Amino acid sequence: MSDKSEKLQKVLARAGVNSRRQCEALISEGRVRVNGLVAKLGDRVIEADKISVDEYNLPKHALEHTKSRVLIYHKPEGEICSRSDPQNRPTVFDHLPILRKGRWVAIGRLDLNTSGLLLFTTDGELANQLMHPSGEIEREYAVRIFGDVTDQMIKNLKRGVELEDGVAKFKDIQFKGGEGRNSWYHVVICEGRNREVRRLWESQGGVKVSRLIRVRFGDIILPPLLRPGKWIEMEAREVEALKNALYKS
């Protein structure tokens, strides 16, 4: 095998199939083929090989070993996180730089009415590592609440609330000020369930989320001068530091 060969599960993860561990499971289950033959754990592949998972052929660029790129994007309200939309609404992918090969993978999602920090990468394995629940990566949001927030509500939200998809809670809640019945809080969660921040607050009754902005993902902070709809690219050394921190944890 060529010196340029790589472990099959690593290539699958980089292509965004799943985490490296889950890709190992796919191989063990006989769901991966290389050049038409059922693959086994320990197999290595090169760029000329043809790989399929459950009869789906991986595109050629998935085998190419290129440097990982990460974008920090300031998502405005009104954009969806899908690549296309039957209603022709604007998507977060509309403003991203065009890639000659590969594709941008969104790291998590923000709903239509939520703005703030959204990350994109060309590295499928990195995306899976950042999104996997086992990583317990902190997400911090600035939240404007309409209504009267009581001490008991804060205690409930930090202790845990039963939602329709299980118990959820905020790791931290900090009051940031406000006027009248509008108050700003910063909250921290360690998972990315659908509309989790909104559902947690509104589970308490009498209060409503009127503005929601993600300001931090892990150690990455939304740059204060980055305008909505704009992006900046992380430097190569920052991306490598991010990957090293994840894979050592």
Side-chain angles (χ1 to χ4, degrees), residues 23-146:
C23 289
E24 290 175 352
L26 290 173
I27 297 169
S28 297
E29 292 166 7
R31 296 166 61 185
V32 181
R33 290 177 176 267
V34 177
N35 300 324
L37 301 177
V38 176
K40 60 183 185 299
L41 278 177
D43 283 353
R44 300 178 70 88
V45 294
I46 59 175
E47 290 187 13
D49 289 328
K50 296 179 180 179
I51 302 174
S52 63
V53 181
D54 293 336
E55 308 302 325
Y56 168 74
N57 295 320
L58 268 65
K60 183 68 176 175
H61 65 73
L63 294 178
E64 297 176 354
H65 188 73
T66 57
K67 70 173 184 177
S68 302
R69 297 176 62 185
V70 177
L71 298 182
I72 298 173
Y73 179 64
H74 189 163
K75 176 193 175 298
E77 293 181 13
E79 287 186 355
I80 63 171
C81 288
S82 300
R83 293 182 183 275
S84 59
D85 179 52
Q87 302 176 43
N88 291 319
R89 291 173 295 183
T91 87
V92 293
F93 294 92
D94 291 341
H95 304 295
L96 304 186
I98 296 173
L99 294 170
R100 293 179 57 191
K101 52 189 176 182
R103 66 187 183 115
W104 292 114
V105 178
I107 298 171
R109 302 171 70 88
L110 293 174
D111 66 41
L112 182 71
N113 297 317
T114 300
S115 61
L117 176 63
L118 189 59
L119 300 175
F120 293 88
T121 182
T122 55
D123 187 327
E125 181 177 13
L126 177 59
N128 281 316
Q129 288 281 345
L130 287 167
M131 289 187 288
H132 200 278
S134 65
E136 297 187 340
I137 295 176
E138 293 184 351
R139 286 92 156 157
E140 183 174 348
Y141 292 81
V143 194
R144 187 174 67 191
I145 301 297
F146 178 74

Side-chain angles (χ1 to χ4, degrees), residues 201-213:
W201 278 106
E202 293 170 9
S203 71
Q204 298 305 291
V207 296
K208 185 174 179 62
V209 174
S210 58
R211 190 87 186 275
L212 185 58
I213 309 165

